């Protein structure tokens, strides 16, 4: 984080939110979800519900941007991406859906690895305290998170309907829909 006098309060609030979310996660029984992250191939075997897929889509989209920003050394936008990740994790409420705990644990692990270069002490403490160290190894040795192409695949697309340049409606269609099916849905 860029530590200047004007940004200290905002940085403190953000890091406190990350810490509080980590404490909230530690209060939940997520041992099985953390253990399933030990092997990357097991994520392909997990069936994610609609809400969990949406969370993974958001996390991996932001991860793609954060990775690009780290490579360009644009650290202010890296922090912005970390804030987006944290907000998506905090807003995720569907813990009963399939694969929800795994998606939550995976997302927070990605967030911690993205924050580690900027805030190593907090990230390391949360990483160890939540059991990631046992499943994935020490944070210092953990690999940089990779964008999961499977998480970026969408089942449905939201399309805007415009007539004469004015928004007339919004429809949701399957991602595999062809032109005729989209036109039929739009006319309906």
């Amino acid at each position: 984080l860029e530590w200047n006098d004007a940004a200290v309060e905002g940085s403190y609030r953000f890091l406190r939110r990350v810490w509080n979310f980590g404490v909230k996660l530690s209060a939940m029984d997520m041992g099985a979800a953390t253990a399933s992250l030990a092997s990357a191939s097991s994520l392909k075997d997990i069936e994610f519900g609609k809400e969990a897929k949406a969370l993974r889509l958001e996390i991996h989209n932001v991860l793609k941007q954060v990775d690009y920003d780290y490579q360009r050394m644009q650290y202010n936008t890296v922090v912005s991406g970390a804030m987006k990740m944290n907000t998506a994790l905090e807003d995720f409420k569907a813990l009963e859906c399939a694969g929800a705990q795994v998606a939550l644990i995976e997302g927070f692990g990605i967030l911690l690895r993205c924050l580690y270069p900027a805030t190593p002490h907090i990230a390391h403490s949360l990483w160890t305290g939540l059991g990631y160290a046992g499943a994935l190894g020490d944070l210092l040795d953990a690999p940089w998170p990779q964008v999961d192409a499977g998480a970026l695949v969408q089942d449905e697309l939201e399309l805007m309907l415009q007539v004469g340049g004015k928004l007339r409606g919004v429809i949701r269609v399957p991602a595999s829909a062809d032109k005729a099916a989209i036109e039929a849905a739009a006319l309906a």
Side-chain angles (χ1 to χ4, degrees), residues 36-68:
S36 69
L37 288 177
S39 64
S41 64
S42 66
L43 285 180
K44 296 173 185 155
D45 301 333
I46 295 172
E47 187 166 332
F48 293 102
K50 184 176 182 179
E51 295 87 358
K53 283 182 180 180
L55 175 65
R56 293 189 76 229
L57 174 67
E58 175 72 18
I59 294 292
H60 285 275
N61 269 330
V62 174
L63 173 61
K64 186 165 44 168
Q65 184 62 43
V66 166
D67 187 42
Y68 178 72

Side-chain angles (χ1 to χ4, degrees), residues 1-18 79 83:
L1 299 173
E2 292 184 11
W3 295 102
N4 60 42
D5 292 343
V8 171
E9 180 63 29
S11 300
Y12 170 73
R13 282 194 316 267
F14 167 62
L15 293 175
R16 186 178 57 201
R17 282 179 51 212
V18 171
V79 174
M83 289 178 177

Side-chain angles (χ1 to χ4, degrees), residues 100-171:
Q101 289 185 341
V102 174
L104 199 60
I105 293 294
E106 176 199 24
F108 197 64
I110 290 171
L111 173 63
L112 290 177
R113 285 181 277 177
C114 289
L115 282 177
Y116 184 65
T119 59
H121 298 92
I122 291 174
H124 185 269
S125 181
L126 287 169
W127 183 269
T128 305
L130 291 171
Y132 288 101
L136 300 172
D138 191 47
L139 183 55
L140 182 61
D141 300 325
W144 183 253
Q146 299 298 314
V147 176
D148 183 2
L152 299 178
V153 175
Q154 297 182 36
D155 296 334
E156 288 184 326
L157 299 175
E158 187 174 78
L159 302 174
M160 307 300 160
L161 301 176
Q162 288 186 339
V163 177
K166 294 187 179 188
L167 181 65
R168 300 293 183 189
V170 177
I171 59 170

